[in-house]
Amino acid sequence: MKGFNLSLKYYLAGTVLLIGVGLVVGYTFLAGSFFREGIDTYIVSQMDGVAKNYRKQPALFEQSPLDDLFYVSSDWQALPSEFQQAFSAKDIESNRLYKHKIVSEERASRRILFLLKATNGDQMPVYVGKSMKPSEVPQIGRQKAGRSFTFLHVTGGVILVVLIVVLFLLLKSLGRPIERLGQWARSVSPETVKEPLPDFRYRELNQLAALIQQGLQQTHATLEREQQFLNYASHELRTPISVMRNNIELLYRMDNERSEAETRVLNRLYRAGLTMTDLIDTLLWLSREEVEAIPVAKVHLDNEVMEAVNSLRYLTEGKPVTLHVDTEPFVGRWAKVPCQIVLTNMVRNAFQHSWEGGVTIRQTQAMVEIRNRLVEAEDGREPAELGFGLGLFLIEKLCRQFGWGLQTTMVDGEHVTRVDFESSALKESEWPNSSSEDTA
């Protein structure tokens, strides 16, 4: 169930305990039922014996009736009135014991009536009745019945306690290896993933640990291959891209007289080279799992912002985009290269995904805010479909690693990106209100 984590240990304990309690309680009631059935069977056997003797010598019973023990007769009307009132002759089945409890406020009037219609083949039916008062039950019988029920309940309680103790020991025996497996799985690292597996006592847990280790080894191998590919690809691409950019710059210097079409092609090649260079730098930084000990240096934030804007201004060429940049002198001490990468990617994202309207870049002390309006692109895609790709991902990664505050929001159709290089948390109140010239 989503949002609810059920513990396997407590689920197993609850299930076993519920089954155990159900069995103990069920067998306790079953034993009590058998005890009462045994008393009824004893009474039926006595009444059946009386019926057999009555068939042999009915006259003897009429001359010497068993007034205090049983009422015996082949005639229903000869039974005492209390039996005739408590039972209906037409509803009485043969060889079945019927009981009726007479409840009264006076203890002397309380009694239980037993009735049996004994038949044997074609012989005449014999009605045997017995009336028993609570006071007529022998003291030894009450004591024995009480001891039997006490023994029954005590035995059930002892069995339940033993069940709980055994369950506790079982969970303890199962829980420790499972906890050790969890601790081992959490402690596995790329350096220890190939070490021999510890023994978790049970075969199933050892098999599960082997599967976990196998999966981690495969994942680690895949990550290593991806890491190597990114490193090799990034470094190997640097050389041909550098050659291409150098040759493009050489073409700029060699021939000053070229047609407008040739100039546009050359400019596109130059911009593509810059883009590929930035992409390689992005891939290199994304491939780093941990932050290196990058030295902290003085960073003129206003100059870095303007340098990023000037180097990427070509991305707005041919677009009806109005650029507004507002900076103020500010010097901070940060890791310079990551700071430049964050600023460059912020500006590139804004320029690449702005097709018309305005782009506002504002730097206030250590905080930088960039606003750009998102509209439908020339190829018909919505702004949300374009995304901000690797650039925004790299910005988030660097800000998280260096403890810089980052906030990205949508305000009235504008995408707003804010970075604070001196704080890991950003509040809306810390930013100056946007003026009318910041939106286009």
Side-chain angles (χ1 to χ4, degrees):
M1 184 182 295
K2 188 176 181 181
F4 179 72
N5 294 324
L6 184 63
S7 171
L8 179 61
K9 180 171 66 174
Y10 292 120
Y11 175 76
L12 177 63
T15 302
V16 175
L17 184 62
L18 182 62
I19 294 175
V21 171
L23 289 175
V24 170
V25 173
Y27 277 112
T28 300
F29 281 102
L30 186 62
S33 176
F34 285 164
F35 180 80
R36 290 186 292 270
E37 289 291 335
I39 295 177
D40 292 344
T41 302
Y42 171 73
I43 294 176
V44 168
S45 63
Q46 283 188 324
M47 299 174 75
D48 186 66
V50 171
K52 289 179 180 180
N53 291 333
Y54 178 82
R55 290 192 188 95
K56 294 178 181 180
Q57 297 177 331
L60 181 61
F61 278 83
E62 293 176 359
Q63 293 175 4
S64 302
L66 304 175
D67 294 335
D68 296 334
L69 296 177
F70 298 96
Y71 301 97
V72 187
S73 177
S74 60
D75 184 10
W76 171 259
Q77 300 298 328
L79 293 178
S81 60
E82 58 183 0
F83 284 91
Q84 298 181 26
Q85 294 175 0
F87 305 101
S88 175
K90 62 180 180 179
D91 297 332
I92 296 176
E93 299 178 4
S94 300
N95 300 322
R96 178 179 176 184
L97 180 65
Y98 290 89
K99 293 182 290 186
H100 180 74
K101 184 183 292 186
I102 298 178
V103 181
S104 176
E105 296 180 357
E106 298 180 1
R107 183 176 178 81
S109 301
R110 299 175 186 172
R111 66 186 66 196
I112 299 178
L113 301 181
F114 297 90
L115 179 65
L116 175 68
K117 180 182 179 181
T119 58
N120 187 5
D122 296 335
Q123 297 179 359
M124 63 178 180
V126 177
Y127 295 97
V128 182
K130 182 175 179 61
S131 177
M132 180 180 295
K133 297 180 180 180
S135 59
E136 294 176 353
V137 179
Q139 182 67 23
I140 187 172
R142 289 198 294 268
Q143 291 177 354
K144 187 171 183 60
R147 287 196 298 269
S148 298
F149 276 102
T150 301
F151 175 77
L152 184 62
H153 294 142
V154 171
T155 303
V158 171
I159 294 175
L160 185 59
V161 172
V162 171
L163 176 64
I164 294 175
V165 173
V166 172
L167 180 61
F168 174 77
L169 296 178
L170 177 63
L171 290 178
K172 192 174 182 180
S173 176
L174 290 175
R176 287 183 176 178
I178 294 176
E179 291 177 357
R180 287 176 50 223
L181 175 61
Q183 293 173 358
W184 170 81
R186 287 190 293 268
S187 64
V188 174
S189 62
E191 293 76 18
T192 61
V193 71
K194 296 183 180 180
E195 293 181 357
L197 286 173
D199 183 26
F200 296 104
R201 184 186 300 178
Y202 300 106
R203 180 179 58 189
E204 291 77 7
L205 295 182
N206 289 330
Q207 292 175 349
L208 179 60
L211 290 175
I212 294 175
Q213 185 185 45
Q214 182 181 1
L216 291 176
Q217 288 177 350
Q218 293 176 352
T219 303
H220 180 62
T222 302
L223 291 177
E224 284 185 341
R225 289 194 298 269
E226 292 179 356
Q227 187 83 13
Q228 291 175 357
F229 172 77
L230 285 175
N231 291 335
Y232 294 157
S234 299
H235 286 292
E236 292 298 328
L237 286 175
R238 282 182 177 273
T239 300
I241 292 177
S242 298
V243 171
M244 183 182 69
R245 291 183 57 185
N246 292 335
N247 281 275
I248 292 174
E249 292 177 359
L250 184 60
L251 287 175
Y252 275 122
R253 297 173 183 176
M254 290 177 56
D255 187 9
N256 294 327
E257 297 180 0
R258 62 176 64 89
S259 65
E260 183 179 353
E262 292 176 341
T263 302
R264 287 198 301 269
V265 171
L266 200 60
N267 291 338
R268 283 198 295 269
L269 289 174
Y270 182 75
R271 291 196 295 267
L274 292 176
T275 302
M276 293 182 69
T277 302
D278 294 336
L279 179 60
I280 290 175
D281 292 337
T282 301
L283 291 175
L284 283 174
W285 276 94
L286 287 176
S287 64
R288 298 182 181 181
E289 293 296 329
E290 297 182 359
V291 181
E292 300 176 354
I294 301 177
V296 176
K298 288 185 178 181
V299 178
H300 294 266
L301 189 58
D302 55 321
N303 294 338
E304 297 296 339
V305 171
M306 293 304 304
E307 183 177 348
V309 171
N310 293 330
S311 63
L312 297 171
R313 194 183 294 270
Y314 68 89
L315 293 174
T316 62
E317 292 180 2
K319 299 179 183 179
V321 175
T322 302
L323 178 63
H324 174 78
V325 182
D326 183 11
T327 63
E328 62 182 34
F330 185 82
V331 179
R333 293 186 61 82
W334 310 300
K336 187 172 184 178
V337 175
C339 178
Q340 291 174 339
I341 293 175
V342 169
L343 293 174
T344 301
N345 279 276
M346 289 175 64
V347 175
R348 180 187 293 110
N349 284 339
F351 287 175
Q352 281 183 339
H353 301 281
S354 297
W355 300 95
E356 63 181 31
V359 176
T360 302
I361 301 174
R362 174 178 297 176
Q363 176 257 322
T364 305
Q365 295 185 355
M367 295 181 289
V368 179
E369 177 188 64
I370 298 181
R371 293 173 175 260
N372 62 291
R373 183 167 296 278
L374 299 180
V375 296
E376 186 175 345
E378 294 179 352
D379 54 4
R381 290 179 296 169
E382 293 295 329
E385 298 175 357
L386 293 170
F388 289 86
L390 295 176
L392 183 57
F393 182 77
L394 181 59
I395 293 172
E396 293 175 350
K397 181 177 180 179
L398 292 178
C399 289
R400 182 172 59 253
Q401 289 179 345
F402 289 94
W404 298 331
L406 172 65
Q407 185 183 62
T408 58
T409 59
M410 288 292 298
V411 180
D412 298 331
E414 288 185 326
H415 187 273
V416 182
T417 304
R418 297 164 178 167
V419 174
D420 186 351
F421 291 97
E422 289 190 346
S423 176
S424 60
L426 280 176
K427 298 180 181 179
E428 192 72 26
S429 59
E430 295 177 352
W431 292 87
N433 294 329
S434 299
S435 60
S436 59
E437 64 177 347
D438 292 337
T439 59

